[in-house]
Amino acid sequence: MKKNKIWILIAFLLAAITVYFIFQTKNSTLNPELTDFAIEDTSSIVKIFIAEADGRTITLTRQPDNTWLINNKRRARQDAIDIILETAKKITVKYPVPESARENTIKLLAGRSTKVEFYTAGSKKPIKVYYVGNATKDLSGTYMLLEKNGKKSSTPFVMHIPGFHGFLNTRFFADTALWQHRAIFTLEPAEIEEIKVLTQDSSESFIIKKTNDGFALFDIKGKPVPGIDNELIRQYIDRFKSIYFEQVDNISPKSRIDSVLSTKPFYVISVTDTSGKTTKVETYRMPNFKNKTDEEGNPYPYDVDRMYARVFYPEGFVDFVYVQYVTFDLIQLKKSDFIEHSKRKNNV
Amino acid sequence: MVKVKEHNNNKRKKIKVNETIRFVSILAILLMVNVLSSFVNFRLDLTEEKRYTLASPTKELLKKLDDVVYIKVYLKGEFPAAFQKLSRSVKETLDEFKAIAGKKIEYEFINPSDFEDKKDREAVYKELFKKGLLPTDLSVKEEDGITNKIIWPCALVYYKEKEYPVNFLKTRIGLTPEESINSSIEALEYEFIHAIDMLMRDHLPSVAFIDGHGELDELQTADIYMQLSSSYAVSRVKLKEKINALTERIGKDTNITLKNKYDVIIIAKPDSLFSEKDKFLIDQFIMNGGKALWLIDGVQAEMDSLRNSDITVGFPKTNNLEDLLFKYGVRINNTLIQDLQAAPIPIVTGRFGNEAKTELFPWFYFPLLNPSGNHPVVNHLNPVKGEFVSTIDTVGDSHLKKTILLTSSKYSRFLKAPVRISLGILRLTPNPEIFNKSFLPAAVLVEGKFTSNYSNRLIPIIELSREIGFKHESPPTKQIFVADGDIIRNEVKKGSREYFPLGYDRFTKQTYGNKEFIMNCIDYLCDDTGIMQVRSRKLKLRLIDKARWKESEMFWKIFNTATPSFLVILGGLIFARLRKWKNTQKL
């Protein structure tokens, strides 16, 4: 029996070693603790915290309807969220930072990196934290460092996404203005109660209101405008499905913004939805900063591509933004446009 | 009596239980030792050719590493057994590297096809291809039919933010898949250490194509130029009898020292005469330790002459280099090799309706030159396609080491120029009896200290000039002489600036070893660490002798099936007999 005990002991010992080796079998000699940047299931991520070296921070949180909020207030751009989640999923080591450059890279990452934290539902601690540094010289990789259990790793890596040539640091930013969703009006016709368009010439202003028969056109005093083609009104309302601004103006000095706002708006468009919430946008001409000229070489009085706009959201936020004529020309109509178009149609 | 019997019964039972436990334990131990052996990297290299021992230059270079070499191997996933074997060999080689270099070698096996999204997968494939990695398309039999699998038998080696592609698969004309994989395994050590060596270099060695004597132009050498550019600083240089064309002078007055501007010069198929001054410049480049690859025709013969006529004449060709080459230990003869092992050319054999009917015939003037021996320059090399190749003789100084690199086949002969070259020979059945010369040399490597062609021939004022810095003898250096200029020439599409890869035969769609041969020549000439020696290692492929196997197939089938069962039964019988004997002893 004593002999058997030795055999059994050896067998158990070997079994333990075998199990150890089976779990230790790796396809990589790199320490997985240091290279484990990727998050396989990004659908479980509910919060992303980004802090830039200049002190700016941002928290993005997933809502039950899968939209994301910036600092629990404003809606975030879905395309940017998709990119950050895709990056978190596909990110992989391109190569370890050479030993000769390691110290310098760590210093740079300590001073000038962006910290990113990913959280899953119900966990107070982030499941992944990393520091994103600069791009490599050939712009095909990005220096990064992982943090585990609150401790920064001592080994930075050059990270990339296989099949993508470029750097990743531009995907992680904490500028609220850049994260902001760019929608002004995204309403289906059925969701619209009233559209009010004020032009500089008040006789050209109009209101479109929901009626029992659909929608109807009124002048600014509330008097119905007769003989308007319903199809034209329907087409106009349809355009409020996707009206976006180009970007928040966080470059212009306050004096310029004040000067713009002191002028009379070019158009004021207010849309009230069926729940009574109103979104208002005021558009202002933008000076011809780029000095574009017409065919005869005369400079245009205003920018021919863009305008300034002030957007008043129903939640109480106000944005000063750039908008493009290509978008706004669709909704900046005058009352006479409807009348003339209807007349032409009837003549035909 | 009953008590004794009961006692004996109990004792037997106890022994039986104990023995069963012991048997199960030992069986488990054996099983686990077996499993463990696949994880623990312990190996005694008892192979005849020391296939698991790294070469000394490899070890030396690995010991010199001063930063991490990171290797991404893309050979991971589910693929045929041969590639699994290759993948295992890659891992073993890298483990051997790691054993020497420790943490300075890191590697990772990656499956580039491991992406759910087809778009992502294709983007990765594209990226790898752009980096110089070459995939293999394999048809794999599966339960629901045959599927095409893309395998990447390659790796990317990173060192100090630089990367270098490594392709493992060595396919050669006439090799079976097993032999190809074996060749690839043989070359693994060289491929990896060559990549590491290239990455470790602070500056790229420089290679210059000599121009100005009717040499092959940029377009005719475009493919090899591109290939060389990935590892060398390549340029073209016109000598124009200028003293500073190949060498530069550092310092002033009495302190002038001469330095070569290039590591290697390539003289590719010159068509006109070299002036004595240009020859002198080349000679002094060699005397200063420079290396040269000479690709010189001994006979003037071109296929263009046969486009309008069935017959042309190959005349002796001279470039005024004969004395220079003779001094360096070789003579390119004014002869043409005819070889039964030759590349084919298309010949119009008739008409089918309005269409001309062409057939391919081996053109004996285009010999497929074979590697001679297993010198690093030619080991694992496909046949090299030559066009109107001359023979080369080694002559003169015996202190120079001369190695024949390429030869004709066993059935060849040579004709002295002037020689009548006629397409008519294609109509005749070749008589093997007249192809009675074997292995005619066509390329030679010469190594050692060369003596200047101008030694004892110069007037003192030139010989003693500090500006010229004349040298009588070179330090140990190397030169390669090839008796055919077309070996380095890529085909060019007429009317456009497009060119075919070097060695590619557009008629047979076959790629010969020309490009690899030239690359190996330059690698060897530039190699001062001896790494190229690693290329020459050969692993024996111990394949089943199919003829013998067919003869004794049944015997071995029965032997392999019955022997294990027989041994188990025999063991069981011995064990039972022993146990019986032991039990009777105890009672």
Side-chain angles (χ1 to χ4, degrees):
Chain A
M1 193 62 203
K2 212 176 180 181
K3 269 185 187 171
N4 277 350
K5 273 183 184 169
I6 294 169
W7 285 117
I8 293 167
L9 200 73
I10 294 172
F12 269 107
L13 211 70
L14 278 173
I17 298 170
T18 310
V19 168
Y20 170 79
F21 271 107
I22 287 170
F23 284 101
Q24 279 295 306
T25 310
K26 305 176 274 191
N27 284 307
S28 171
T29 56
L30 293 177
N31 184 353
E33 287 278 304
L34 308 174
T35 58
D36 183 24
F37 284 82
I39 302 165
E40 206 174 314
D41 179 19
T42 48
S43 63
S44 64
I45 294 168
V46 295
K47 189 167 106 178
I48 303 167
F49 172 77
I50 302 169
E52 286 199 64
D54 60 7
R56 281 184 298 181
T57 61
I58 198 166
T59 306
L60 303 157
T61 42
R62 192 194 287 264
Q63 300 308 295
D65 63 352
N66 262 338
T67 58
W68 287 68
L69 289 186
I70 307 164
N71 298 330
N72 276 323
K73 288 177 189 163
R74 320 248 339 233
R75 203 173 150 202
R77 273 169 55 207
Q78 194 56 42
D79 61 321
I81 289 284
D82 290 343
I83 283 179
I84 209 169
L85 291 178
E86 189 203 13
T87 309
K89 190 182 173 80
K90 293 180 181 171
I91 197 164
T92 180
V93 171
K94 187 170 167 78
Y95 54 85
V97 172
E99 278 178 4
S100 47
R102 197 167 289 177
E103 211 174 304
N104 202 28
T105 309
I106 291 172
K107 265 187 206 165
L108 281 171
L109 282 165
R112 282 178 24 205
S113 61
T114 302
K115 187 182 186 187
V116 191
E117 296 177 355
F118 293 95
Y119 294 80
T120 49
S123 103
K124 282 188 180 169
K125 275 188 176 176
I127 57 151
K128 199 77 70 184
V129 180
Y130 41 75
Y131 294 83
V132 184
N134 291 334
T136 52
K137 271 183 218 159
D138 64 354
L139 305 178
S140 68
T142 309
Y143 296 105
M144 287 196 192
L145 191 80
L146 204 60
E147 183 181 293
K148 277 268 161 112
N149 303 321
K151 250 184 130 182
K152 273 189 199 174
S153 147
S154 58
T155 319
F157 288 91
V158 171
M159 305 299 294
H160 78 141
I161 289 177
F164 167 76
H165 185 87
F167 42 93
L168 308 174
N169 49 350
T170 49
R171 298 176 176 210
F172 303 97
F173 51 89
D175 187 338
T176 319
L178 293 178
W179 269 109
Q180 203 176 305
H181 200 280
R182 287 163 188 178
I184 301 175
F185 303 116
T186 51
L187 293 165
E188 290 293 327
E191 293 172 306
I192 294 172
E193 186 64 39
E194 182 187 282
I195 298 169
K196 189 190 221 176
V197 177
L198 303 178
T199 63
Q200 287 187 324
D201 172 6
S202 62
S203 66
E204 286 287 11
S205 302
F206 63 89
I207 301 167
I208 292 174
K209 273 186 195 172
K210 193 176 240 175
T211 62
N212 291 338
D213 303 329
F215 286 94
L217 188 78
F218 300 86
D219 68 13
I220 197 64
K221 288 173 187 159
K223 245 175 113 181
V225 182
I228 300 299
D229 181 13
N230 277 339
E231 178 58 23
L232 191 62
I233 297 174
R234 201 193 58 76
Q235 276 177 17
Y236 179 73
I237 288 166
D238 222 33
R239 292 170 186 168
F240 285 83
K241 273 181 188 172
S242 59
I243 301 293
Y244 292 83
F245 63 81
E246 187 181 332
Q247 70 175 83
V248 173
D249 181 5
N250 50 3
I251 310 161
S252 299
K254 195 174 176 298
S255 56
R256 184 188 294 166
I257 296 172
D258 288 345
S259 149
V260 169
L261 294 178
S262 66
T263 61
K264 200 178 179 192
F266 182 44
Y267 269 86
V268 180
I269 302 168
S270 311
V271 180
T272 307
D273 66 17
T274 45
S275 66
K277 287 179 185 167
T278 302
T279 305
K280 185 169 95 172
V281 57
E282 295 169 349
T283 58
Y284 298 87
R285 296 283 199 195
M286 183 184 279
N288 186 4
F289 294 123
K290 291 173 192 163
N291 285 324
K292 274 198 178 174
T293 54
D294 59 20
E295 284 170 0
E296 286 159 9
N298 303 314
Y300 290 108
Y302 299 107
D303 192 297
V304 287
D305 300 316
R306 289 174 181 80
M307 291 184 293
Y308 288 121
R310 183 159 59 162
V311 188
F312 298 83
Y313 297 95
E315 296 86 2
F317 304 115
V318 180
D319 282 331
F320 190 70
V321 298
Y322 300 138
V323 293
Q324 294 177 352
Y325 283 110
V326 75
T327 311
F328 269 69
D329 279 353
L330 297 171
I331 56 170
Q332 291 189 147
L333 298 187
K334 292 178 284 187
K335 190 177 78 182
S336 58
D337 292 332
F338 288 92
I339 296 168
E340 278 162 26
H341 187 275
S342 301
K343 272 183 186 168
R344 272 205 306 272
K345 203 173 175 192
N346 290 337
N347 286 342
V348 170
Chain B
M1 188 64 187
V2 177
K3 262 190 178 175
V4 173
K5 219 175 178 181
E6 210 172 274
H7 175 75
N8 282 344
N9 272 343
N10 282 343
K11 210 171 178 181
R12 265 188 206 136
K13 259 185 194 170
K14 221 173 176 181
I15 291 169
K16 218 173 181 179
V17 170
N18 276 343
E19 278 176 351
T20 313
I21 291 172
R22 198 180 306 165
F23 178 73
V24 171
S25 302
I26 291 170
L27 204 72
I29 289 167
L30 285 175
L31 193 80
M32 279 177 285
V33 165
N34 222 349
V35 175
L36 274 176
S37 63
S38 66
F39 294 111
V40 181
N41 194 22
F42 170 76
R43 191 161 52 207
L44 283 176
D45 191 355
L46 302 174
T47 55
E48 188 188 337
E49 64 269 32
K50 293 283 168 218
R51 67 163 64 197
Y52 300 115
T53 306
L54 296 180
S56 337
T58 308
K59 287 181 188 167
E60 288 305 311
L61 198 77
L62 289 173
K63 280 177 195 164
K64 271 192 228 161
L65 285 175
D66 62 348
D67 216 317
V68 177
V69 172
Y70 177 58
I71 302 157
K72 273 184 171 178
V73 183
Y74 292 98
L75 199 52
K76 190 189 162 196
E78 282 181 21
F79 31 68
F83 284 94
Q84 297 282 9
K85 187 183 166 193
L86 182 62
S87 175
R88 269 200 306 277
S89 298
V90 172
K91 193 171 186 304
E92 282 167 4
T93 307
L94 295 178
D95 283 337
E96 294 291 340
F97 278 28
K98 211 167 162 48
I100 305 280
K103 289 200 164 179
K104 293 278 189 280
I105 291 278
E106 302 280 9
Y107 65 80
E108 187 171 9
F109 279 71
I110 292 163
N111 180 0
S113 307
D114 198 11
F115 290 94
E116 288 164 21
D117 194 345
K118 197 181 162 195
K119 243 182 174 177
D120 288 344
R121 200 163 50 235
E122 275 167 8
V124 172
Y125 287 175
K126 216 170 161 184
E127 186 191 22
L128 297 182
F129 192 76
K130 256 185 169 176
K131 285 176 190 280
L133 304 183
L134 301 171
T136 299
D137 194 356
L138 270 193
S139 295
V140 181
K141 269 187 193 170
E142 284 182 352
E143 278 177 16
D144 49 350
I146 292 173
T147 54
N148 262 15
K149 229 171 195 164
I150 292 177
I151 299 173
W152 293 83
C154 29
L156 277 175
V157 182
Y158 293 90
Y159 180 74
K160 291 188 178 175
E161 309 217 319
K162 292 184 281 181
E163 65 182 22
Y164 196 88
V166 171
N167 289 297
F168 307 140
L169 207 57
K170 305 276 163 231
T171 48
R172 275 194 283 156
I173 300 161
L175 281 194
T176 62
E178 289 98 333
E179 285 168 331
S180 285
I181 293 287
N182 197 61
S183 259
S184 310
I185 293 170
E186 278 176 357
L188 283 177
E189 183 185 335
Y190 171 74
E191 291 296 338
F192 279 122
I193 205 67
H194 173 67
I196 294 170
D197 183 39
M198 295 306 290
L199 290 168
M200 278 176 80
R201 288 178 183 180
D202 290 332
H203 74 282
L204 293 178
S206 50
V207 176
F209 280 84
I210 301 294
D211 249 345
H213 314 92
E215 285 90 349
L216 297 175
D217 62 27
E218 284 98 332
L219 203 56
Q220 289 168 314
T221 52
D223 191 47
I224 195 69
Y225 195 97
M226 285 296 290
Q227 185 72 33
L228 284 168
S229 301
S230 62
S231 314
Y232 299 95
V234 197
S235 55
R236 298 187 76 92
V237 59
K238 276 192 176 143
L239 300 181
K240 287 183 177 172
E241 303 185 347
K242 282 185 185 162
I243 193 167
N244 288 330
L246 296 176
T247 49
E248 57 189 340
R249 274 123 194 99
I250 303 158
K252 272 184 178 177
D253 304 327
T254 51
N255 283 328
I256 291 176
T257 49
L258 250 73
K259 203 184 149 214
N260 280 341
K261 282 183 180 175
Y262 309 98
D263 293 284
V264 181
I265 54 168
I266 300 175
I267 299 145
K269 203 179 178 182
D271 208 20
S272 51
L273 298 177
F274 276 69
S275 68
E276 281 305 318
K277 280 183 185 168
D278 278 356
K279 275 164 64 181
F280 180 78
L281 296 178
I282 294 172
D283 178 79
Q284 286 305 293
F285 170 79
I286 305 290
M287 293 311 121
N288 276 298
K291 290 126 186 176
L293 171 62
W294 303 80
L295 299 120
I296 312 286
D297 284 342
V299 173
Q300 174 75 48
E302 297 295 334
M303 279 308 280
D304 286 347
S305 316
L306 290 167
R307 287 198 205 287
N308 301 320
S309 159
D310 268 8
I311 297 171
T312 184
V313 179
F315 289 105
K317 191 174 177 180
T318 178
N319 301 107
N320 191 28
L321 292 170
E322 292 76 16
D323 57 336
L324 202 63
L325 301 192
F326 194 89
K327 197 73 183 172
Y328 299 155
V330 296
R331 182 178 55 222
I332 292 171
N333 300 311
N334 302 130
T335 54
L336 275 187
I337 292 178
Q338 271 194 347
D339 197 331
L340 285 186
Q341 182 188 292
I345 55 165
I347 296 292
V348 177
T349 53
R351 300 197 77 80
F352 187 77
N354 288 331
E355 297 273 316
K357 194 181 159 203
T358 55
E359 276 181 69
L360 291 173
F361 289 94
W363 178 233
F364 306 132
Y365 292 102
F366 284 5
L368 295 178
L369 303 166
N370 294 310
S372 170
N374 66 334
H375 190 273
V377 173
V378 286
N379 198 22
H380 309 299
L381 195 73
N382 264 327
V384 175
K385 185 188 166 192
E387 294 185 14
F388 300 111
V389 183
S390 301
T391 55
I392 193 166
D393 287 337
T394 56
V395 289
D397 288 353
S398 57
H399 66 271
L400 292 168
K401 188 184 166 197
K402 293 154 191 166
T403 314
I404 306 290
L405 295 175
L406 294 176
T407 65
S408 64
S409 80
K410 200 178 173 186
Y411 302 102
S412 52
R413 63 171 180 162
F414 65 85
L415 306 168
K416 281 185 184 167
V419 54
R420 184 172 166 272
I421 300 162
S422 166
L423 288 173
I425 58 166
L426 296 173
R427 290 192 206 103
L428 307 170
T429 312
N431 178 6
E433 279 177 21
I434 61 166
F435 289 86
N436 53 4
K437 296 274 189 299
S438 300
F439 312 119
L440 295 167
V444 179
L445 162 72
V446 185
E447 294 166 282
K449 291 179 178 178
F450 294 89
T451 312
S452 169
N453 188 40
Y454 299 92
S455 221
N456 309 318
R457 282 173 58 187
L458 296 175
I459 53 169
I461 198 162
I462 294 177
E463 198 171 332
L464 301 172
S465 158
R466 288 189 189 283
E467 187 70 19
I468 291 171
F470 179 75
K471 278 191 179 162
H472 290 270
E473 195 185 52
S474 76
T477 187
K478 317 163 201 177
Q479 296 189 71
I480 293 174
F481 302 88
V482 185
D484 177 23
D486 295 299
I487 277 175
I488 199 171
R489 182 175 60 85
N490 52 252
E491 291 283 330
V492 178
K493 273 189 191 172
K494 283 212 168 135
S496 71
R497 291 193 63 80
E498 287 175 85
Y499 57 87
F500 290 99
L502 175 60
Y504 178 74
D505 185 340
R506 58 199 157 119
F507 303 120
T508 56
K509 311 267 186 277
Q510 191 87 262
T511 302
Y512 296 107
N514 297 42
K515 184 150 72 176
E516 209 184 335
F517 172 68
I518 301 292
M519 284 304 292
N520 288 350
C521 285
I522 303 298
D523 284 347
Y524 186 80
L525 293 174
C526 287
D527 174 37
D528 298 321
T529 55
I531 278 173
M532 271 298 278
Q533 295 299 335
V534 182
R535 269 201 104 248
S536 62
R537 69 182 299 177
K538 230 173 169 60
L539 303 184
K540 237 181 225 172
L541 185 62
R542 292 174 175 88
L543 295 174
I544 290 173
D545 182 338
K546 281 185 180 158
R548 271 186 72 188
W549 162 246
K550 271 218 158 144
E551 276 174 24
S552 51
E553 186 183 354
M554 194 47 77
F555 167 75
W556 287 111
K557 272 184 181 172
I558 294 168
F559 180 83
N560 283 334
T561 321
T563 311
S565 318
F566 172 74
L567 288 175
V568 168
I569 293 164
L570 190 73
L573 285 172
I574 293 168
F575 184 68
R577 184 50 67 96
L578 273 174
R579 207 176 64 174
K580 204 173 178 187
W581 177 76
K582 225 175 165 183
N583 288 344
T584 46
Q585 289 292 307
K586 276 179 188 168
L587 292 173

